[in-house]
Amino acid sequence: MQIYIEKQAKNYPQTKNILQKFKSANIIWIDNYKNIFDKKIPLNTSLKPNFIVAKLNSNSITKAPDWYWHNNNQAYFLKTSLNCVFDCSYCFLKWAFKNDIPVYFINYEDIKSEILQKIKNINLEEKKEIEKNDYELKLEQNIKYKNKIWFYSSDYSDILAMDQISWFMQNFVSFFEKFDNTMMEVRTKSANIKPILDLWFVPKNTEFAFSLNPQELIKKYESGTSNLEERIKAINILLKKGYKVGLRFLPLLPVKNYEKIYSEFVKEISEKIDMKKISSTFVSGLLYTVSDYNNILKKYPKLDILYRLKKDDNLFFREKRELRDFFYKLFKSLDKKCFICLDEN
Ligand code: SF4
């Protein structure tokens, strides 16, 4: 095993944990991860690291687009690692970076300070807004901090699947517990819930959201991820213990026989998971911005599902309306409150 570590990351506790865990690894000390990460390293070279450890010197949080879920403008993507140990055919990570080496950022205290500052600023802004309003009106309408603040932690990698090296759960789930009106989403295709159970408490501010698809599509398009049966088992263990669990049905894939495949899938989910205990569900078809679509098509010209998308407007390539409507109706029958991404709810 070969690990590249930035010299500036050397003295962080997280780096020490990694060095302790991988005692026999070949460690190469580097000046800046971008010197490797931003270069194209040919596959199978003896120089290629298994992963890189680095200090994040830029922002760890970026604002989620307004159309993205939870219908408020206080939602953020949280970045603590790049690239994924899984290999889903349709994933945007395939063209987002120059190579597929996982990068773990280790300066967690800096990242936590940034989150803390963001939450403080949002609360301050809202307080000012409330104070501007008439006091009586405020009482009448029971105005308090209006919107929940959301942090989505798995946008740049599957954060639960990476936990063996990042110890993300241990470091961030309890951190989020100290805030009011703030939630973190951990979205995953992994059934390895040991890092969650090892927390030894049931967090109120973290929702564990499992992405699900029919098993035959997992096998074909979601390489390396846990199979459906294992994910359902993990979901049921967490539900039984009282954790907040969400279901994410995305991307719903435009495959041949999609009506039959997805109808059987929804039936299976309704039989095996107690939907009344699920905190939230979210559905989305497969969609790309026009430039992302052109990028993935260039890289994976043989990926069949890409050819079943149509240019919807000048912004997106997505499934045709008829197919989307079929999916929405089907998943609304599973949970009438399920959120539909980028279409009317
Ligand atoms: S699990 Fe998520 S982040 Fe990882 S490859 Fe699949 S889609 Fe991409």
Side-chain angles (χ1 to χ4, degrees):
M1 169 175 276
Q2 186 148 262
I3 309 172
Y4 285 14
I5 307 182
E6 276 187 350
K7 289 172 193 157
Q8 60 170 341
K10 186 174 182 179
N11 293 320
Y12 285 83
Q14 198 55 24
T15 308
K16 290 181 182 161
N17 289 339
I18 291 169
L19 287 170
Q20 182 66 22
K21 179 162 181 167
F22 298 99
K23 279 188 184 134
S24 57
N26 181 28
I27 308 293
I28 296 181
W29 296 96
I30 56 173
D31 287 328
N32 188 329
Y33 82 98
K34 290 185 177 182
N35 294 340
I36 290 107
F37 192 70
D38 286 347
K39 304 258 177 330
K40 265 221 155 317
I41 295 189
L43 290 175
N44 299 326
T45 162
S46 59
L47 285 176
K48 191 177 177 186
N50 293 72
F51 61 88
I52 299 174
V53 177
K55 177 171 180 270
L56 182 64
N57 289 323
S58 55
N59 288 346
S60 64
I61 47 184
T62 45
K63 201 168 177 318
D66 288 344
W67 49 261
Y68 198 73
W69 206 14
H70 290 116
N71 286 334
N72 72 46
N73 53 9
Q74 303 300 0
Y76 299 86
F77 296 119
L78 171 61
K79 174 173 68 184
T80 54
S81 53
L82 302 174
N83 277 326
C84 188
V85 290
F86 297 146
D87 187 19
C88 303
S89 319
Y90 48 73
C91 181
F92 86 102
L93 291 172
K94 292 203 173 296
W95 68 90
F97 307 119
K98 288 222 169 69
N99 64 59
D100 59 358
I101 307 166
V103 178
Y104 295 84
F105 297 113
I106 41 65
N107 45 327
Y108 285 169
E109 293 314 310
D110 297 339
I111 294 171
K112 286 178 187 172
S113 301
E114 191 188 340
I115 296 167
L116 183 66
Q117 199 50 52
K118 175 59 77 184
I119 294 171
K120 271 188 188 164
N121 289 348
I122 293 169
N123 285 340
L124 210 62
E125 284 304 307
E126 291 212 340
K127 201 165 165 228
K128 275 193 213 152
E129 199 54 41
I130 290 167
E131 280 163 2
K132 266 199 308 199
N133 288 329
D134 176 84
Y135 183 70
E136 291 303 319
L137 183 72
K138 184 175 92 179
L139 282 183
E140 207 179 292
Q141 296 182 341
N142 192 22
I143 297 171
K144 49 185 177 183
Y145 300 140
K146 303 176 285 254
N147 295 323
K148 262 205 164 93
I149 308 167
W150 275 88
F151 290 88
Y152 304 114
S153 68
S154 298
D155 200 48
Y156 303 91
S157 48
D158 189 309
I159 206 76
L160 181 61
M162 315 275 279
D163 199 83
Q164 287 178 0
I165 294 172
S166 68
W167 291 278
F168 179 90
M169 301 304 139
Q170 201 185 91
N171 278 286
F172 283 89
V173 174
S174 51
F175 168 74
F176 274 97
E177 285 300 280
K178 57 185 174 200
F179 302 109
D180 288 333
N181 223 21
T182 300
M183 288 293 295
M184 173 170 70
E185 182 198 75
V186 170
R187 190 178 294 185
T188 188
K189 291 188 176 86
S190 170
N192 178 16
I193 53 172
K194 188 169 182 302
I196 302 172
L197 299 176
D198 283 352
L199 292 169
W200 291 105
F201 73 99
V202 176
K204 66 180 189 326
N205 287 349
T206 297
E207 180 173 305
F208 299 97
F210 289 80
S211 279
L212 302 178
N213 245 322
Q215 178 54 34
E216 61 185 287
L217 305 187
I218 289 176
K219 198 167 165 216
K220 187 165 178 196
Y221 297 105
E222 298 179 350
S223 178
T225 64
S226 299
N227 69 42
L228 180 63
E229 206 51 54
E230 290 166 346
R231 292 188 220 177
I232 291 175
K233 192 171 164 208
I235 288 166
N236 285 331
I237 292 172
L238 293 182
L239 284 177
K240 200 165 170 204
K241 291 179 180 290
Y243 288 80
K244 286 192 172 96
V245 176
L247 301 182
R248 307 291 175 258
F249 299 106
L250 79 165
L252 298 167
L253 297 172
V255 290
K256 277 187 195 148
N257 296 329
Y258 67 88
E259 288 106 325
K260 183 172 181 292
I261 292 171
Y262 276 99
S263 298
E264 286 171 4
F265 170 62
V266 164
K267 186 166 178 286
E268 182 180 0
I269 297 299
S270 67
E271 286 167 0
K272 293 184 174 167
I273 297 175
D274 183 353
M275 290 301 296
K276 290 193 295 302
K277 291 188 178 165
I278 293 296
S279 301
S280 66
T281 55
F282 180 111
V283 295
S284 173
L286 182 65
L287 63 93
Y288 298 100
T289 63
V290 173
S291 72
D292 283 350
Y293 181 78
N294 290 330
N295 281 329
I296 193 164
L297 198 61
K298 223 182 287 165
K299 208 159 177 190
Y300 295 94
K302 290 190 180 154
L303 185 56
D304 55 356
I305 44 179
L306 295 179
Y307 295 95
R308 300 191 190 122
L309 304 183
K310 296 257 169 289
K311 201 169 177 184
D312 187 49
D313 47 32
N314 284 330
L315 287 178
F316 294 104
F317 271 86
R318 63 193 314 200
E319 289 142 345
K320 55 186 181 186
R321 184 77 230 191
E322 177 196 334
L323 191 143
R324 277 154 38 210
D325 284 345
F326 168 82
F327 281 143
Y328 302 154
K329 196 169 166 211
L330 184 66
F331 284 91
K332 284 275 183 192
S333 74
L334 184 69
D335 174 10
K336 61 179 186 308
K337 295 194 300 302
C338 82
F339 182 84
I340 295 169
C341 182
L342 261 182
D343 263 320
E344 61 280 5
N345 272 272

